[in-house]
Amino acid sequence: MVELKSKREMEIMKEACKIANLTQKEVEKHIKPGISTIELDRIAENFIKAQKALPAQKNYPHPEKGVKPFPATLCISINDTVIHGIPSKKIILKNGDIVSVDLVVFKNGFHGDCARTYIVGEASHEAKKLVDITKQAFFEGIKYAKAGNRIGDVSHAIGEFVNKNGYSVVKEFEGHGIGRQMHEEPAVPNYGKAGKGVRLTPGMTIAVEPMVIMKDVRICELEDGWTIVTEDGSLAAHYENTILITEKEPEILTI
């Protein structure tokens, strides 16, 4: 069931989204060669708590039994890691890496979710293009995130744009509704048919998040039960914002 937010709930939720965006900006300041991913995680957690909010991904339960909850504030995914990379003191950023940072903030009963892919130092032209295309895919999708349209209109626009540029979208993972819960209805795939799916209605809040791979679309899960990587070592990028469906244009809450 899709939950619509009241005007009061929208205003409360915007605070969590604002903090999520500010946390990304704080993390970005520290992304440079030589820093460990666990240090970036510490910076993010301290920043979020200083805003009197909570890092929602930390200790988030895995949907499958037997897998430990996610142990960190940030998902930090480097190069061929698509999503859900676990921060570690052993993982040190290097010049030329591309680094996806996914985070969720919880405050006053609501969540704000956003992801960015950053370039460490100087990366290759190919890597920069992948990051740019992934970000633009989000904006191509939300052109259709208007009341009366359907989720499939957003999904189709993302997938078509990515494919047109010679890349592939991840089909096993998708965007989602968000609000009191981190993951709510509806699912928001990054591919699909226009005119299909849930109708977009004012008051809906959804996380739209293209996950794009440079070459082979096949992915696999590491033994930790969380980390998703490309099978052939291809680079991957991720870009996400929480948006609000309004009577007019969609409102991006995490920018």
Side-chain angles (χ1 to χ4, degrees), residues 6-195:
S6 66
K7 288 185 178 180
R8 178 176 175 277
E9 288 173 329
M10 290 177 203
E11 292 306 311
I12 295 172
M13 187 169 169
K14 285 179 182 179
E15 181 63 20
C17 291
K18 178 182 177 181
I19 295 169
N21 178 45
L22 291 175
T23 305
Q24 285 282 0
K25 291 180 181 296
E26 183 65 24
V27 171
E28 184 180 13
K29 293 177 188 176
H30 300 273
I31 290 181
K32 57 186 177 182
I35 194 168
S36 69
T37 55
I38 198 68
E39 179 65 10
L40 292 175
D41 192 75
R42 183 192 65 79
I43 289 166
E45 182 168 345
N46 289 343
F47 183 86
I48 291 169
K49 289 181 175 179
Q51 315 308 310
K52 296 181 170 53
L54 294 173
Q57 290 180 145
K58 191 166 188 177
N59 298 317
Y60 188 76
H62 195 283
E64 296 180 10
K65 291 182 178 179
V67 179
K68 293 181 180 180
F70 193 78
T73 293
L74 303 177
C75 294
I76 305 182
S77 305
I78 301 174
N79 297 332
D80 64 339
T81 300
V82 185
I83 50 173
H84 302 162
I86 299 174
S88 168
K89 64 181 180 181
K90 296 180 181 180
I91 303 175
I92 309 297
L93 300 190
K94 305 185 304 297
N95 186 62
D97 284 341
I98 62 171
V99 182
S100 298
V101 176
D102 188 5
L103 65 91
V104 187
V105 167
F106 180 76
K107 184 168 185 177
N108 295 330
F110 287 90
H111 293 81
D113 188 359
C114 58
R116 307 282 186 265
T117 300
Y118 303 105
I119 292 171
V120 183
E122 287 296 324
S124 67
H125 170 75
E126 291 77 12
K128 290 178 181 178
K129 184 179 177 183
L130 173 66
V131 172
D132 289 344
I133 292 297
T134 303
K135 180 178 180 179
Q136 187 58 36
F138 166 84
F139 288 99
E140 293 297 321
I142 69 163
K143 289 178 182 178
Y144 298 88
K146 299 178 181 180
N149 285 351
R150 294 185 179 272
I151 288 292
D153 298 320
V154 177
S155 301
H156 177 77
I158 291 171
E160 284 295 295
F161 179 77
V162 171
N163 291 337
K164 181 178 69 176
N165 282 278
Y167 301 126
S168 304
V169 294
V170 174
K171 294 185 176 181
E172 292 87 344
F173 295 89
E174 55 199 6
H176 50 89
I178 184 170
R180 292 188 181 278
Q181 303 298 320
M182 188 189 304
H183 296 107
E184 299 181 351
E185 294 295 329
V188 186
N190 293 309
Y191 70 100
K193 293 184 177 181

Side-chain angles (χ1 to χ4, degrees), residues 187-246:
V188 186
N190 293 309
Y191 70 100
K193 293 184 177 181
K196 300 291 184 180
V198 173
R199 190 174 297 280
L200 298 173
T201 305
M204 287 176 62
T205 45
I206 57 176
V208 178
E209 51 178 319
M211 291 159 269
V212 180
I213 296 176
M214 186 177 283
K215 295 179 182 177
D216 194 323
V217 74
R218 289 176 294 179
I219 59 175
C220 58
E221 182 181 84
L222 299 187
E223 291 183 358
D224 60 33
W226 284 103
T227 308
I228 304 297
V229 300
T230 61
E231 278 197 6
D232 66 351
S234 295
L235 295 179
H238 186 194
Y239 187 84
E240 174 185 22
N241 283 300
T242 300
I243 69 169
L244 168 68
I245 304 302
T246 73

